[in-house]
Amino acid sequence: MTADKLTLFLSRDQIDQLNQDLAEKITRDYLALDVTPSNFLVIVTLKGAVFFAADLIRKIPISMKIDFVKLSSYGLETKSSGSIALQKDTEIAVKDQHVLILDEIVDSGRTLSFLLDHLAVKMPKSIKVATLLSKPSRREVPVQIDYCGQEVADKFLVGYGLDYAEKYRQLQEIYALESA
Ligand code: IMP
Ligand code: MG
């Protein structure tokens, strides 16, 4: 058994502040768009973004519909292979919706790029992306991120939805992981 070494990266308070700032920007923009529950659809990526989405959405005082998608990348464990599969599609119709995708972290950009292409075919009225974290130095595919909580260096992070082999999602804070 190898022991994982976790170093605190973002505290609860820091995460709350990032969410607050994102919520304010999103609220301002979507109020200006005059969205209604009939045309505002928030799409959350399973499983990692669930914690972020639950906190963020409750700071946005606008009625919306919420749906989930699940994507997975196949290939070597530690490296994104670039081959993405859709494991769960949206259930709510995307056509003519103002779609806001919530993801917890953008790394190579391949997952998000795949999802954006997949949703574009369904003819949304608009489509934007919000992510809590982004690792720009890891980008392999360019993706436009409309709302980013914080850019981070190339570290492997866990907690607050982020996992390492399905572990650590439940942690309140975000930690950098080093395998000892
Ligand atoms: P991408 O397709 O390379 O951008 O990968 C995006 C997905 O990989 C994220 O939504 C996460 O699920 C996962 N991921 C990327 N970086 C990390 C990390 O540091 N910790 C945990 N999961 C990560
Ligand atoms: Mg994810």
Side-chain angles (χ1 to χ4, degrees):
M1 276 264 290
T2 52
D4 295 333
K5 182 168 175 274
L6 302 188
T7 310
L8 185 65
F9 186 74
L10 288 173
S11 67
R12 241 347 295 179
D13 283 352
Q14 288 172 311
I15 295 169
D16 282 344
Q17 190 58 55
L18 295 178
N19 285 339
Q20 189 59 42
D21 293 347
L22 284 172
E24 282 169 18
K25 288 191 191 113
I26 291 167
T27 301
R28 196 185 330 118
D29 290 357
Y30 282 83
L31 280 178
L33 271 180
D34 217 8
V35 290
T36 66
S38 66
N39 69 3
F40 186 21
L41 174 61
V42 172
I43 298 179
V44 181
T45 59
L46 294 170
K47 300 179 233 179
V50 163
F51 298 74
F52 164 56
D55 286 344
L56 180 74
I57 283 167
R58 287 177 295 171
K59 293 182 191 290
I60 300 173
I62 304 175
S63 295
M64 61 182 72
K65 291 175 284 195
I66 300 167
D67 207 345
F68 298 90
V69 289
K70 187 167 194 298
L71 299 123
S72 62
S73 74
Y74 290 111
L76 299 173
E77 258 178 48
T78 48
K79 272 210 156 184
S80 176
S81 65
S83 159
I84 311 289
L86 183 75
Q87 296 193 320
K88 186 213 167 296
D89 202 353
T90 46
E91 290 166 21
I92 298 172
V94 167
K95 190 171 187 311
D96 295 331
Q97 298 292 302
H98 289 289
V99 169
L100 177 63
I101 297 172
L102 301 186
D103 206 350
E104 78 286 14
I105 192 162
V106 183
D107 188 68
S108 72
R110 291 189 184 280
T111 309
L112 203 49
S113 171
F114 179 98
L115 179 60
L116 285 164
D117 289 348
H118 173 76
L119 293 175
V121 175
K122 298 175 188 258
M123 295 197 293
K125 197 168 186 129
S126 70
I127 188 155
K128 284 185 164 190
V129 173
T131 184
L132 180 63
L133 303 170
S134 170
K135 297 182 195 169
S137 68
R138 299 260 308 167
R139 209 72 89 241
E140 292 168 22
V141 177
V143 278
Q144 184 179 324
I145 299 175
D146 302 280
Y147 307 97
C148 176
Q150 185 169 311
E151 292 191 344
V152 298
D154 181 10
K155 287 178 198 293
F156 196 81
L157 302 173
V158 296
Y160 195 60
L162 293 159
D163 74 304
Y164 172 58
E166 295 299 330
K167 286 190 293 183
Y168 305 123
R169 288 193 200 276
Q170 84 287 357
L171 298 175
Q172 298 252 10
E173 306 82 12
I174 295 176
Y175 295 82
L177 178 140
E178 294 153 47
S179 287

